[in-house]
Each structure stands twice: as structure tokens, then as C-alpha cells.
Amino acid sequence: MLTQKVFLRKTKRGNILKIVREHYLREDIGCGSVACGRCDSESTRPLQKDFESASKVVEHAHYIVPDTNIVLHQIDVLKDEAFRNVIVPQTVIQELRHRHAPAYNSIREMLAIEERHFYCFVNEHHKDTYVERLPGESANDRNDRAIRRVVGYLQSHLAEQGLSIEVVLLTNDRECLNSAKKEGLTAFSLKEYVGGMGKPELLDKISIDADGSSEGDPVTNKKKFMYPEHLTPIALQAGIKSGRLRSGKFMASRDNYLEGFVCLGDNEDESDRVLIQGLMNLNRAVQDDTVVVEILPESEWVCPSSVVLEDEPEEDDKVDEEDDDGDEVEREKKVEKALKESKTEKGVEKMPTGKIVGILKRKWRPYCGILAPSAIKEATKHLFVAAERKIPKIRIETRQAAALTGKRIVVAIDSWPRHSRYPLGHYVRTLGDIGDRKVENQVLLLEHDIPHQPFSQAVLNCLPKMPWLITPLDESKRQDFRSVPTCSVDPPGCTDIDDALHARSLPNGNFEIGVHIADVSHFIRPHTALDREAATRGTTVYLVDQRIDMIPDLLSSNLCSLISDVDRFAFSAVFEMTEDAKVVGAKYCKSIIRSKNSFTYAEAQARIDDKARKDEVTEGLRVLNSLAKKMKLKRMENGALNLASSEVRFQVDSETHDPIDVKTKELLEVNSMVEEFMLLANKSVAEFIYNELSHCALLRRHPVPPVGNFDPLVRAAATRGFDIQVDCGKHLADSLDRASIDTDPFFNTMLRMVATRCMSQAIYFCSGTIAKEDFLHYGLALPFYTHFTSPIRRYSDLIVHRLLAVAIGADATYPELLDKVRVQNLCNNLNYRHKMAQYAGRASVTLYTQIYFRDKNVLEDGYILFVRENALQVLLPKYGMECTLYVKDKPGGQQRIKVPFTYDAEKCTQTAGDVTLRQFERITVRVSLDRTNIQHQKLVVELVRPHIPGFSVDIEKPMEVDEPRNDGEPEKKKTRAV
Amino acid sequence: MSGHQYLSEEGFRVDGRRAQEMRKLDCSLGVFAQADGSAYVKEGNTVVLAAVYGPHEVRGGRVKALHDRAVVNCQFSAATFSTAERKRRPRGDTKSVEMTLHLQQTFETAILTKLYPRCQIDIFVEVLQADGSILSVAINAATMALVDAGIGLRDYVCACSAGVFNDAALLDLNNLEESQKGTGLTVAILPKTERIVLVDMSSKIHSDHVSKTIEAAIEGCKDIHATFDAKIKERVGRLAALINTEN
Amino acid sequence: MSADIDVRLFSSRSRSKSLADESEFMGTRAKIVVSPGTTITTDGGFMRGHGTYLEDENGLLSAVAGVVEKVNKLITVRPLKTRYNPEVGDVVVGRIVQVCQKLWKVDVGGRLYAALHLHSVNLPGGELRRKSIEDELLMSQYLIDGDLVSAEVQNVGVDGAVSLHTRNLKYGKLGQGSLVQVSPSLVKRCKTHFHNLPNGVHLVIGLNGFLWITHEGEAESSHFAQNLERVDYHTRESICRTRNVIISLSRYNIMLYDTTILYAYEISTDYSIAQLLKPEIQMEVAHLTRQKLQLEG
């Protein structure tokens, strides 16, 4: 049977099109129940026949049909094991797909799990359940009618066969419930149904509706606090089209909860941002939302503040049953006023400022954090504080407050109505105790969106069977380098060896240099579960005590890893170089190698220095070393930048896994040697694959930072009388080299650290998507660059391997490899994963540092990295960490600092009395851990030397070490010993 | 995440068909009184009218006539109202010219031109409603018109379009599916011997999928052939009975 | 002349259901219906006629959709509709399309134009005149583009080229009258194709589907000079009626020969001439004619 779907659509140009589509109605769609004898025998039947009713509200066994809003908003409730034999109509699934991708994915997962007995009923194409839209009926009403029709049809279909299985409709919509009852269908609201299930924790998971109350009850709360209304979607679209409003991504400020930015362009660079200040202007936007902003007239533009402000709960913060946010309004207004009056950093001009008038798309996800319980004992409404600073507090309703204090929990936001100061959400699950290392690690991984589950069976099935042997077929396709003296140089304890090198003299006086990289693309084939998992993970994540692998252990530590004394597959780049390190030839091939030694850096260095050793491998190392030095000089001449960054390494107690000591990583000559050859391989491969596959090569670029980025660097150097030129990379490198003080060797290093902060991010991209001039890697001063040398721990390298294999004819292509849109999407994902992995790594270091300082306080050397209006950023080189030393109190907060400081923005100094603290000055500080805020424990430094009376710490007196209070009461602020 | 799901997990396409199902097919013969043969073919919402004139004397001078064969002249035109947005030119734009050439090459092979030396056969195809697969429906309509005109053919020429989505072959694409990055191809065959007369593809399909798609399209063509054949035989049987054959 | 305007929607016309019933009455012999590409026989002993072609591996295949006819060893397939296939001795009516050197090109509704050679024509002034150059120049004075002639097929060439002749007094240029074009398959082969119907109507049934209806006076007069005498009203009406009747019959696939046209004419007298153009009336006339044919054998 055939009907038509006719509707009108407006094109971009404004024309109205009449779209006519066929709509076939079928007779072969089954009801999905095993018990049914009438439906087509070919159809799938996941629904059970004999089972118990899940809820006491319905006597017999029954199938559940939820409506769209239930699935959309209450997905966490449906995920519970108690919900089985659920029929999801096609109408619901289609709506989900359009509105909320995560809920759609969840439903699809549940449909796939056999034990849950979920069935997707294709009601739109079923002869008896297709519902046409009546004239004047809204789309929502039509969908509701369709779902009710499904229930009605299935009920009579089963009843006709004499089966006693009922079909029950679940909906929270009042009208739908009433209509259903009128039509004689069994229907319940979710709360009624769940109430009869005998699982109180499920009731908690029921989320609150958009108007701030569950189940559509009329709102009785006092509305003292009101955010401005959001504009309707039509008004927003009209505004954007006319140019009056702009849309962009909202980025909350980490340090200041009253401030945020909206990035109008695609990149997150500084040039296209609008400042938003004040709660009313922020108007309920949450980090990463796509918002619509109205830019205020120029007279109202302000500067971004340099003040650090946290939304900390005050002692007298009462959180009632009734949402009495009135007091908060007053407090907030005071803070905002002080914010506006605070002086800003010199040189920072007024920015375009605006206010948010609507949200286009919410980007809410489940957040980790802790519960800040209400002062009232029997209260059910509590505030949840997220671990991520940029997320506001969330109000949730739970009966288990007592059980949840002191634990890390996961909460999801449901809505943010106008009258609520905070967004409303619901509890999802518990992770474990606060402070427990494993739980904190878990939080870290969740917050940084790092997939860390063990590899699924589907992925493990893709691994090769052991024992793995090299067949003659393999040998015929590869070059045999097993007799060549290759060796690898890696950090101690490294199990995933990516690369091996060799060097030999050629008869014509040149050298043959081989860079052999683990041939991961041989084991990971496209379109397998293993490949998909690796693509999602994107990179191996290195935490202090843990390594989240991108690929399973069998490959990363065994079959792919170039371990010594075993035959391994490799992808080799063989270069011919003259004595002056000039590359005269490059060849790429798949090969088999047998590494002779797996050195650590120290061992390799020792071998080079040991004059007695004259074997092949050592000679090769020496050749590599001397060539590397020449190559480095050449690179520096070309304008490559050499910036410092502090990498630290923790020595961990083997039993408790708590950190014992901290060491900064040292750099030996051999580190540089390996680095040079990796760079050479990367850049040669980049050029080669670009020439062969110019439209889809995966390359890496480092965009030139805008000149404004370098302002902090230029000012910092100017305070000591050095002039840094920032017009091009070469000049920057040279002027950085010149800016050094003999008496203070650390000054230059610090300057380089500041320079690192000014850089933009290096990113992966697909060569077909941008112009050739933009391929430049600024930091390395290379026109082409990519990542090729670490496929075990980076997915981008694996793709480059595949591209190179196609280019040399050693492997077949597949469509996604050559599709530049797909490659660019992959690059975007990899960039995101890479960034998250970096943040996670740093957060792990921070976590460990905090654990290390838990019961200590130490005197350390520190260097002032930045001078701000109210604080100093102090770098502790031993730990590679930065801390904030406040010199002024927070506006509106307690006044604790008694000594007045004067800030000079031009000279970057803070003066108190006759002591001046300058940028890059070395000071001595006492370091301890401030554990008052459980989630955001921070390192606190107090000034010891130079001694400022009334401010600096007197080291004679012992310090109180405060323990955090465990009874869940909000803490009193720790007083500082003076 | 909007955008149509061309093949849902349950195996249904946007309009409710399964992957290998074709649209509703309907055809009428002899609709155009003044032409020697005419056919009106409707496949789903795609409607094509074909008219055949000939064989007749070659127009335009004796120079163009071939001494041993007939000249096949095609014209493909799509009405301005056939698409959702009104078209400017019914014929003469690149697409129509290309279709014309396809038709010409196809039917020069299929028609037994040796039977009609120094003659000309005109085939006019007009698309009245375009909802995807217009080339294949045009070929089908032209075939039926030729059969109606009693012109000697080697065999029917049946055409069908197919595409690939998520590694599954979809048969008989409609406009929505065709406009999805154009991953479709049209195949025309002589059904009896399953020899391919025309393959038209204006997109990129990975080589792994090509053979699968062509096979699926050939199956579709065979289905179309069965429908058309039954229709023709029924019509001939009915009308021949009325005409006294003793002549 | 009273204006009798009748306006109706095309979609409201009734479908003719009578056709289905008729087939049973027509004495269905076992007919084999084939379509293009169907194998007729793989036996190599047969000769191939129209509508078939030979393919090495598969034997004899049909090239059109139609009914198989076996005459001894000759197999042909007759399609439903086809252009006129001339055979030697056919009486045809044709229109001059071109005057060439020594011949006229005549459109007889076939695949190619037929050729009417100068020497095949009876020129005014007797038969055995010697052909001279003046005759050629004067060709166009006798027959010019657009004229209608009745002729007989003299010769059909291998490539299908047809030549006609009018070497008979009954053939020649046609004067006043009305031309009706029907499908050639509807014209039955008879002994004579020139009929005189009652009511003073003279009918020439061309085997190519061109029928010429004229007044009786035409038949007797010579074909050389144009007879421009005014035809009287009554005869005109008869001619009109005959024409409409023929169209009705052809619409319903009834064979055309004198008997059928006569019967139909008689039946049609119940209606006015204008009414005969309406589809229902046409169906009625055809239906009744068919019945009458069956009754009378």
C-alpha cells in the first residue's frame, strides 16, 4: 500500500518547495513478541512470553511503550536493569535521533542487548499503525497520537489471540495521559510506574522537568530570582540572519565565575571573542554550549578582569527546601560591582562585550564531583559541586544525601529554568571515596573524556593468534634488514619500543641511515573493531602511575614493539646522507629487522663515550650522534625554536604507590640524537605523502601565533632591558638566545617558558582542506611536517603509515582513507584527544603533587613567572608546578592580608614598603597543601624571603597543618599563621 | 544530528522499502494517438512519457540516410515542472544532452536497424515528474514505446538504478537517496541474455562495492522485464483477438 | 445552424468494458503471443519472415511483440501496430511529397516514400505517347506536392523501396473528397478496393490505411482533369457520415471493408453526424456493428 507525504519546505534562498515523498505501508512488520502466532515468521522477536510484571501498578505481565519525552529526559531511569520488554516505537527513535544524539545512542545500545528484550516497532510503515497528520494538528500531537495508536493496536493484536499480555503506555504529558485513558489504554506517568517498582534509588534518577518541577506540577516556588528570558528559536534565527545577533561557543572563565567568553569563529583564538560579565548577562550558559549573543553598544564595553574569583559557598549560605536565592542576588551584585571597579592589566584594551540572549544547543554531559550538602538535616535538595571549575553548581534532589557525602558522584544536568539560580539535575552514580587515588584517577579520566575501559572482546578478537610466526610470503614482500646493526634508545622501563636506528658507511663515503618504525598498520587493519577503538582513543594517555594504552598489550608491548634479539616487522625510511648531514636520497619500504640492543639513554650515552668499544652498533651510534649535532645546528639556523618545558618524574613508593620524591628529567646528548632523526623521518615522510596524495595527506601544522600573543614575553624581557623580536621565527629564536644574564642562568630558561605560553597549539589537519602556505610548522620552521614515528601510541601515525604504504604500493586503499572530509573529521577528533590527554597528564601530575604534599610542608626556591594585579604566579622548578601567591584579598571576601601592596603594570612589580618583587626574581617560599576545598585542593605558597614584615612567614614558628573536616559541614576558612 | 537515515538498523529506507525492494511500477501503452508507438511509465513518483515515430523517411536530406541501416534519433527532455524547483530549460542543458546520447547509444544497439535501411526512427522522451532514476525510467519507457510501435528489437532494454549505503546495495533510488552525494549508478541490460547495454555512474563508488551494486541492479532489471513482459503479452493477446488475423 | 455545444470532462468518460467480452466471440484459435527476444523455435528448418531475426546460438527469435504466424515453413510475427508493409498488387492511396526528375515521391504511410515513375503514369492524351522532355517539365502540371493519388504497387525492392503505377483507368489523381487515415492492420484484403456505397458515396480503401471517400461522379470521370463541379449537400453529408463511421470502427479495432462500413453506416443513421464524434456514440455504433457481423456470419 502506498500513501504520500506532502510538505512544504523553505530553501536557503527563500523559495518555498513542495516536497512529495512516497510512503509505503507494509504488512510484514511483526509485533516482536515470541508469544504471537500471527505475525510474519521471518520477523525478529525479542519480546518475551512468560515473565513477571516489573511494577506493582500493573497486575499482569506487560510490555512497556514509553513516549518521546520519557526516553529523552529519563534515559537514566530506562537504563536500569529492571526495565525489560520495552517496545520503542519508530516515531520515538526518529525524534531522538534528531534531537539528542547521546540518548539515541543509549537506546540503540539497549536495543542491541539481548537480555533487555527491547524491540523497535516500525510503526510509521505498518499498515495498521500509520497515522496521518490532521489539518491544524501540531507535529507533537500527531506523534503522541501515533504512539497511542501503537499501544492500541498491539493491545488488540495480542488480545485477539487470547494472550493475556498487556501493553502499557508511559508518558509524563498530562494531555497524553488523559487521551490514553479516554481511548481505553493502560497508561501511567513515570513516577507512578517507578513508584510501584520497589526501587527507591530509581526514583532519585527521575529528572526534573524544564519548569523546575517533576511531573508537570504547577510551580509553587517563590520567584525572587529571575534570569532574563531566552528568545524564541525563530527570533534567534531572525536575529542571526539580520546580523544583529551572533552565535558562537561559550567558554566559561576558569578563574572567574562571573565571566566568560563567546568564541564567534571556528578556532578558539583570541581574535573573535566577546566578553560576557555578570550573572544576568551570562544568562544560564554552560561551558561548551552554542549560544547566541547580542553585542552591547561600545559605550558599555569593559575589559576582562585580571581578578581571580571563585564561587565559594559562604558559611551562612543556607540552601532551603524552597529555592530562596534572594540573598544570593544581593551578594552577587556586590561582587560584580567590585569586579567592574577592579583595575586591569595595563595594555589590555576594552573588548567587545555582550549579553547572551539565547541558547542554540546545549552540550551537557554527566559531570563528576561531590555533594555540598544542605545545612538542613532532612533536606532532599542539595547542591552538587563539579570537579571541573568551569561548570556551575547543580541542584539535585536525592534521598541518599547521608550516604553520598564524602564520595565522588556523577550528576547530569536536566534543565536550567529562569527562576533557579543554579541548574537542576539528577544523580547518576557513585564512583567511590573522595581522595582515594583510584577514585580520583577515575574522575580525572571521566572529566577528560578518556576512554579507559578494558578492551572489549570484539577488539581482542582482532588480535593475531599466538605464536606469531613470519611466513615466507611475508618475507617476500619485505626488505630483509635483519643483519643490519639496528638498535633502539628509549627511557628506562619502556616496553613499547616504536623506533630503531642504524647507521652504516657506504662505499662512496656517504652514510646509510635507517629509521625503522614499528609496523603497526600490518596488524591493525581498517574496518575492524580494533581499528575503530584505536581511532576513538586517538592516543596513549600517560598518567603518573598508569598508562592507558591505545592498542592492546599484545601488540604494543610485544608484536609491534621493536624488542631486541627478535625478528620484527618495521616500516623503514632509509636515507643516504653526506658527512655534512645533507640528505641526498630517501627510500621507504616495509622491512623485517632484528634489533641488536635496546638501550636506555644512559646506556647509549655510556657506549658512545666508552672509547674502548668499537663494535658496529657503537660506531653507528657515534655516526648518528655527530650527524645529529650538525642537523640540529642547521635547524637552529633555519629558525627552529628551542623552548624549555619542565618535565618532572615522580619516584613512587612501590607499596602504597604514593610519591616519595620528585626529579626533573635530565637531557643527555642521545636524547637530542634520537629527536633529530625522528624529526628527519617525520618531515621527509610528510613531504613524500603530500606529493603522492595531495588531497588527503594527514599532516601537522603549527600556525603562526598572532603578534599580540607575544605581548607578555616582550614586556617580561623589556623589564630587564632585552628586546625580543617577534616578526618571524628566526628573529625570535635569535633574540631569545641573546637575552641571557650571566649572573642568573635561570632567567633565560624562564623567558623561554613564558615564550612557550605564547605559542598556539600544533594541530593535525588534512592537506586537502587548507592552502599550502598554511602547512607551515612555526616552531620547527618546516614547510611540511607530520607524525610518523610513534604508531604504537598515536593514531595519527598509523594513518600516515597507511598513506605511505599506499604511496609506495605496499598496501591497498580503502574509501575512508582517501576521503578528505573523513580525514579532517579524524584530525579534529585526534586533536581533541591529544589535548585531553595532555590535560589529563598534567592533572595527574597535579594530583600526585597534592598527594605528595599531603602531610608535608617544605621550603623551596621559586621564581616569579607572572605578576598580576592581585597575585603573583610562582614557578617551583623542582616540581615543575605553578602556584598563586595572593597579595590582595578577594573583593567582598574576608580581609586577611594586612599589608598593602602597590602594583606597577608597566614594570611588572608589586611593592610593599621598601621591598619590590619583580618578574623572574628568585624567592624562597614555604609550600603546603590547602585542603579546605576537598575537590580543589591546591598548593599554597607563602613568602619567606625576601622578608616583608607583616606578610612573610617567619620560619621559626611551626605551622598549623589543618586536616579537612570529615563530617560534611562546610569548612571554616583556614587562618594563616603570621 | 539531523539528516536522513537512508537505511535504518531495522532494514527500512526512508520511504519504508527494504534495501532490495523496488518502487511501484505502472505502465500504459498507446497513450499518444498520433505517434507510431507511445508509452507512459510510472515508477514510484517518477513519470516518463515516451513517443516513437517511425521508421520513416529520413528528414533533412538524403545525405544523412545510411544505406544499410536505420538512423536512430533521440531527444530527451524534462518538463520545467518535473522537479521540486522549476527548471529553466527543458532541454539543451548538459544533463539532457548527456541523457540523449545515452539513449541513442543504447537503442542503436537494441533496435535491429538492419531491417530498416535508409529509414529514421525518432524517439522522444519527456520526463513529467522527476523523483530519482530518471535515466532508467526513460529507457524503460522508450523500450515500451518501441514495442508498441512494432519496431524490431533484439530484446527488451530494461534499466534500473542502484546505490550503495553502508555496504548494503539499495535498489531503485528515489530523489532523496540519489541526492545523497550521488552514490548511485544506472544499469541497462538485455534481460534474456543478461548482457549489459549501459552503465552510467556519475559519482564515486569504491571498487569493492561496484560489482555488488551492478549485480543488484541487474536483478532489478530482470524484475522490471518480468512485469513489462506480462503486460505486453496480455495486451497483445487481448487486442489481437479483436483483429481478424485472416488477411 | 444551431450551436450545439457539449462540454464534458475527459476523465468522466466511461471505460469500454465491451472489449473484453468480444474476444470470446471471435473464435480464439490457439494463438502464440511473443515479445521481443523470445525464442520462437530453435529448429533450423524454418525460414524467417517479418518480425523475426536469427541469432546463431539461439535460433529464431522474435523481434516484435505480436502473434506468431506459421505458413508452411515461413514464420512471421505480426505486431499489433506497424507501418504499412507494401506488397506487390496492393491498392494504395498516397500523397505526393516531392517532384523529382522523372518521378514523384509519394507518401503512402510506409517506412519509405514510394516512387511513382513518370513512365508508370497514364498521361493525359492517351497511353502510348512517347516520353519527351516536355513531359518532364510538365510533370508538375499534372501532379504537384500535396496531391492525392490512388495507385497500385508495382514492385517492392530488396531494400524496401516501393514503386507504384497508375496504369489503369481506375487509378489516378483524386479530386474532391475526404481522406481518413487508419491503422493498416485494420484494412482487410479484398478482391476490389473501390466500392460504391448507397447514398452516392464512392469509397477507395487503400491497403495502407488511407481511405478516400468521394462522390460517385468522381468514379466515372477521368482522372486527368480536375472535376470541380460542386457536390450537392446531401452527398456531402453522406461523405461526412461515412468518415465518422469509419473513425468509430477503427477506434474499436473492427476490420474495415465494405460490409462493415455499410452496416455501420446503417446503424449510424439513428444519430446525427455531429453526434457520431462523441465517444459513447462511437462505442455504441462499433458494438452494434460487431453484433450485426456476428449475427450475419
Side-chain angles (χ1 to χ4, degrees), chain B residues 36 55-57 112 115-116 118-119 147-150 152-156 192 229 232-233 240-242 245 247, chain C residues 19 22 26 29 33 35-37 39 53 61 63-65 67 81 83 111-113 159 187-189 253 255:
Chain B
D36 286 307
H56 56 72
E57 193 79 29
L112 293 164
L115 292 177
Y116 312 108
R118 290 190 283 119
C119 292
V147 170
D148 187 45
L153 295 172
R154 214 179 291 280
D155 193 355
Y156 284 90
K192 192 154 172 290
D229 203 24
I232 294 264
K233 288 208 169 118
L242 298 168
T245 54
N247 211 348
Chain C
L19 285 177
E22 306 299 343
M26 289 312 284
R29 265 180 307 165
V33 173
S35 52
T39 314
Y53 70 102
L61 298 162
V64 292
V67 175
K81 256 196 288 187
R83 288 231 164 186
R111 294 207 314 264
L112 296 168
Y113 292 148
D159 54 353
V187 180
K188 188 174 165 176
R189 262 216 175 84
N253 291 332
M255 294 298 285

Side-chain angles (χ1 to χ4, degrees), chain A residues 445 450-453 537 539-543 546-550:
Chain A
L445 292 171
I450 296 185
H452 55 280
Q453 306 302 331
R537 293 192 180 208
T539 173
T540 298
V541 180
Y542 291 95
L543 305 176
Q546 205 186 0
R547 189 180 77 196
I548 315 279
D549 284 322
M550 184 181 86

Side-chain angles (χ1 to χ4, degrees), chain A residues 256-274:
Chain A
N256 192 335
Y257 77 104
L258 290 175
E259 221 173 66
F261 295 95
V262 176
C263 294
L264 297 175
D266 275 334
N267 2 323
E268 292 170 16
D269 61 358
E270 317 254 333
S271 48
D272 236 349
R273 304 205 304 186
V274 177

Side-chain angles (χ1 to χ4, degrees), chain A residues 889-906:
Chain A
D889 290 312
K890 281 191 283 285
Q894 279 185 321
Q895 302 296 315
R896 283 175 220 123
I897 298 172
K898 308 281 191 286
V899 179
F901 273 85
T902 332
Y903 172 59
D904 185 336
E906 210 179 290

